[in-house]
Amino acid sequence: MKYITAFFLLLWLTTVSYAQTTADIIIRNGKIMDGTGNSWFYGDVAIKDGKITGVGNLSGWKSTKTIDATNLIIAPGFIDVHTHIEGDEIKNPYATNFIADGVTTVVTGNCGLSEVDLGKYFKFIDSIKLSINVASLAGHNDIRKAVMGKANRLPTANEMQQMMALTEQAMKDGAVGLSTGLIYIPGTYSKTEEVTALAKIAAKYNGVYATHMRDEGDSVTQAITEALNIGRLANIPVEISHFKLSGQQNWGRSAETVPMIIKAREEGLDVTIDQYPYTASSTSLSTLLPDWVLADNQDSINARLGNETIKEQVIDYMLQKLKKRKLKHFSYPVVANYKADTSYNGKSIEEVNLLMNRKHKAKEEAETVIDMMKLGGAGMVFHGMSEDDVKQIMQYPYNMFASDASIRIFNQGVPHPRGYGTNARVLGKYVREEKVLSLEEAIRRMTSLPARKFNLEKRGLLQQGFAADIVVFDPLTVTDASTYQKPHQYSKGFRYVLVNGQVTFENENHTGVRNGMVLKNEVKE
C-alpha cells in the first residue's frame, strides 16, 4: 500500500512541477524592465492562461510559442490614462494606433466626457471586443447635461440630487473615478461646491478625481488651487490632466506650477499629473469663444452670433486673447477636422481666412472663426506651448504620459500626432536622444504609476500572477513617425504587444487579435 501511495505522490509532484515549468508563451533573453523603475536585468517571461507565471532565468521551461527578445526590452504594457475613445470603438475595434504605440490599456471618460450609463457602456465594450483593455471615469459634463442640458446656471437642489445619483450609479457600475472638463460647456458653468459634492461620492467608492482644469494659461495657478482644494475637501486622490502652460505669455511658468504639485504632495495630498509630449494641444474651435456664448443648443449659439452687438463683443474677446499671445494672426489654431468643409483640414485659421478671399487681418480671421462655429465648429490643433516647459514638467516623477486621443480612423482628418506617437516619442526623443529621463523611469510612468493611481489591479508590473499585458521593443529604433503634417503614421520599434496573454502585435503588424477587456473599479460597499 505504501508503494502505491508513494507512486501517486511522485506522480502528483511531477505533474505540479511540469505545470510550473510549462507555458503558453515564453519571451526569452530580453532586458526586463519590470515597471518598478528599478534597473533592468536579463531574463525571460513566461505566460500561461493570460497571466504571467514566471520572470527571470527560465532556461528549463518549455512553451508552445517562444519569442526571442535578444537586444530588446521586455516591459509591462503601457497604460494611457487620458483618452477619449467613445464613439470610435466600433469604427476600429483593433485600436491599432494605441497597440502600435505599446498601449494595452486606456482610461477613457476624461475631461468630463463619458457615457452616463457606464453599466450599459461596459456591456457594449464587452460585446464588440477591442484589442485594448478599457477603464472609464464618470464624466461630470455629461452627467450635468443629462440633468440640466447646457444651461448656464447653478443646479436646483433636486437637480443636484439627480447628478449625485447618476455619479453614484456610475461608481457602482465600475467607474475608476470622476472627471471634469471645467473649460467646456456645461462644466464651465459649475461652481467648486458642485464638483466637490460629486467628488465626495467618487471618493466613497475609492475613485480618483481627474480634472481638465478651468484654465491652463493666464489663470493656471488659480485653477490648480481649485483642483487641489477639491481633492482636500472630498478626501480624494487628484489627477490633473494634460498639465501644461498655454500661450506664449505663460512660457516658463512651469517653474511656478510644478512646485505647487510638489508642495501639495508634501502636505499629504495624493496628487499626480499627466502630460502629452508635444508643444501643441488639441480641442474644439469653440474654446476660442467666451463661455457664455456657447450655452444651450446650436440654434441658440447661432442666434447669439447672428446678433451684431454680440458678434462684435466676441470678435473683441478673440482679438484680446490673440494680443495676449503676442501674435498678429490666428496662425496657431490649425483645423484637424471640419465636417462642413474637409478641404480646410490641416490649415490654420489664418490660411482658411485667405482661402475665403478675405483680408489678411486678425479681425477678418475672427469672423472666419464665427462663421465656422455657425456651421457646427471644428476639431483643432493649437500650437502654443514651450518645449522648455514640456521638459520641465516631464522631469516631475509623479507625471504620467497620456495621448488625450481617441481610436484613430486611419487617414480621417488631420488630427494631433499624439494619437499615434505619444509613448514612442517619449522613448525615442526624450529618453534616447535628449536624455530628459531614464528608460526605466519612463516605463514606470507608463505602467505601474498609472496602474496604482487608477486602481487597476494586477496590471502595470511584470510579476507572477499579474495580467500578461506586455510590450517588447527595440530601444535603439523606437520612434514616433506621426507628424502634424502627416499624422496617420504608426510608431516604429515595437516588435510585440501582448494583451491578456495573446499576441496582438507582431513585427509591427496587428495580428487581428481582440483580447481586451473592461477593467472595473471593484466596489467594496
Side-chain angles (χ1 to χ4, degrees):
M1 184 67 180
K2 64 180 180 181
Y3 296 111
I4 296 174
T5 303
F7 171 77
F8 281 109
L9 178 60
L10 179 61
L11 180 62
W12 180 79
L13 289 172
T14 302
T15 302
V16 170
S17 176
Y18 179 77
Q20 289 176 340
T21 57
T22 60
D24 299 324
I25 301 171
I26 296 181
I27 307 171
R28 294 196 179 278
N29 306 318
K31 285 183 176 180
I32 294 176
M33 294 192 182
D34 61 8
T36 62
N38 292 334
S39 298
W40 62 265
F41 58 93
Y42 286 113
D44 314 317
V45 178
I47 300 153
K48 190 175 182 64
D49 298 328
K51 305 290 185 185
I52 296 170
T53 55
V55 178
N57 182 356
L58 308 179
S59 57
W61 288 48
K62 306 293 183 184
S63 62
T64 304
K65 179 181 176 69
T66 299
I67 293 173
D68 183 9
T70 301
N71 298 323
L72 303 177
I73 301 296
I74 308 172
F78 302 152
I79 300 170
D80 190 331
V81 299
H82 192 105
T83 71
H84 297 275
I85 72 169
E86 294 85 353
D88 290 327
E89 310 96 334
I90 204 162
K91 296 177 185 176
N92 180 13
Y94 300 101
T96 313
N97 58 303
F98 286 118
I99 290 291
D101 199 39
V103 175
T104 56
T105 297
V106 302
V107 179
T108 194
N110 282 280
C111 296
L113 308 171
S114 76
E115 296 294 333
V116 176
D117 187 343
L118 281 179
K120 182 179 178 181
Y121 178 67
F122 289 149
K123 288 178 182 176
F124 163 71
I125 293 295
D126 279 334
S127 70
I128 63 172
K129 295 294 290 183
L130 301 181
S131 290
I132 50 175
N133 302 310
V134 178
S136 183
L137 294 150
H140 165 242
N141 280 21
D142 281 308
I143 287 171
R144 198 179 209 267
K145 275 190 281 188
V147 175
M148 301 174 58
K150 296 181 180 178
N152 183 2
R153 60 176 175 80
L154 297 179
T156 64
N158 181 55
E159 287 168 338
M160 194 67 226
Q161 286 298 319
Q162 290 181 62
M163 284 193 280
M164 291 171 72
L166 288 174
T167 302
E168 183 144 29
Q169 187 58 55
M171 294 306 300
K172 287 181 177 179
D173 286 338
V176 293
L178 173 75
S179 77
T180 53
L182 300 178
I183 195 174
Y184 299 121
I185 308 302
T188 188
Y189 303 142
S190 66
K191 301 297 183 185
T192 303
E193 294 76 13
E194 175 184 323
V195 177
T196 302
L198 300 183
K200 285 180 178 179
I201 294 171
K204 187 171 71 170
Y205 293 94
N206 202 30
V208 172
Y209 173 60
T211 180
H212 179 151
M213 302 182 297
R214 289 191 195 274
D215 191 80
E216 296 168 329
D218 295 351
S219 301
V220 65
T221 55
Q222 294 92 320
I224 292 172
T225 297
E226 181 188 35
L228 299 177
N229 284 341
I230 289 170
R232 293 186 182 101
L233 290 168
N235 193 26
I236 190 171
V238 176
E239 173 74 8
I240 299 181
S241 302
H242 37 61
F243 203 79
K244 66 171 84 70
L245 281 309
S246 294
Q248 286 81 345
Q249 73 275 21
N250 292 302
W251 288 6
R253 291 186 68 192
S254 58
E256 180 182 357
T257 59
V258 172
M260 292 180 70
I261 307 303
I262 295 171
K263 184 173 183 290
R265 284 193 68 88
E266 289 173 347
E267 293 171 348
L269 181 63
D270 180 0
V271 54
T272 50
I273 62 177
D274 59 66
Q275 171 193 35
Y276 45 80
Y278 297 87
T279 56
S281 60
S282 182
T283 189
S284 170
L285 180 67
S286 64
T287 56
L288 290 175
L289 277 62
D291 296 336
W292 56 267
V293 173
L294 305 170
D296 307 312
N297 55 30
Q298 185 66 43
D299 288 343
S300 300
I301 294 170
N302 288 354
R304 294 186 192 102
L305 295 177
N307 179 299
E308 284 302 316
T309 301
I310 292 177
K311 180 181 175 181
E312 287 303 314
Q313 290 175 347
V314 172
I315 289 173
D316 183 64
Y317 174 86
M318 285 193 281
L319 293 178
Q320 289 300 317
K321 287 183 73 172
L322 187 69
K323 185 178 180 181
K324 280 187 176 181
R325 284 180 174 263
K326 304 174 184 178
L327 298 174
K328 293 183 178 179
H329 294 279
F330 286 90
S331 54
Y332 73 96
V334 177
V335 180
N337 186 22
Y338 182 47
K339 291 181 180 179
D341 189 341
T342 56
S343 70
Y344 294 161
N345 292 349
K347 295 179 174 60
S348 69
I349 292 298
E350 181 183 17
E351 291 170 325
V352 170
N353 184 67
L354 293 173
L355 287 172
M356 290 182 170
N357 295 315
R358 289 176 165 169
K359 294 178 181 178
H360 192 205
K361 295 183 179 296
K363 184 176 181 180
E364 300 275 338
E365 292 162 9
E367 290 198 26
T368 294
V369 171
I370 289 173
D371 289 344
M372 291 174 69
M373 281 301 303
K374 286 180 178 179
L375 293 176
M380 305 292 294
V381 173
F382 293 91
H383 295 269
M385 289 181 275
S386 158
E387 179 70 11
D388 288 341
D389 282 323
V390 169
K391 291 179 182 178
Q392 174 99 359
I393 293 166
M394 190 175 291
Q395 289 175 327
Y396 178 61
Y398 299 104
N399 173 17
M400 296 163 248
F401 300 109
S403 67
D404 195 2
S406 184
I407 296 172
R408 293 294 190 228
I409 312 304
F410 204 73
N411 286 334
Q412 186 176 100
V414 188
H416 197 298
R418 67 193 184 189
Y420 285 94
T422 289
N423 293 295
R425 183 174 178 82
V426 171
L427 298 173
K429 175 180 172 64
Y430 292 105
V431 172
R432 184 180 65 242
E433 296 173 8
E434 300 190 14
K435 298 180 175 26
V436 176
L437 68 169
S438 71
L439 185 53
E440 289 91 340
E441 174 66 3
I443 288 174
R444 182 186 70 85
R445 310 268 201 89
M446 297 170 179
T447 57
S448 66
L449 181 60
R452 184 208 61 79
K453 185 69 179 192
F454 288 87
N455 298 314
L456 305 177
E457 293 188 4
K458 300 292 185 179
R459 308 272 166 176
L461 290 170
L462 294 182
Q463 288 187 4
Q464 189 170 344
F466 274 55
D469 295 338
I470 299 172
V471 298
V472 180
F473 67 93
D474 186 342
L476 300 180
T477 63
V478 64
T479 189
D480 58 315
S482 181
T483 65
Y484 292 109
Q485 294 74 29
K486 295 181 178 180
H488 295 284
Q489 301 183 77
Y490 297 120
S491 294
K492 302 295 183 183
F494 289 99
R495 301 290 184 83
Y496 295 89
V497 177
L498 289 79
V499 180
N500 296 312
Q502 291 194 25
V503 178
T504 305
F505 198 67
E506 185 168 1
N507 294 323
E508 300 189 354
N509 287 293
H510 201 297
T511 63
V513 168
R514 287 152 59 180
N515 197 41
M517 60 189 295
V518 170
L519 303 182
K520 297 180 183 180
N521 182 23
E522 297 300 330
V523 177
K524 299 178 178 65
E525 294 185 77

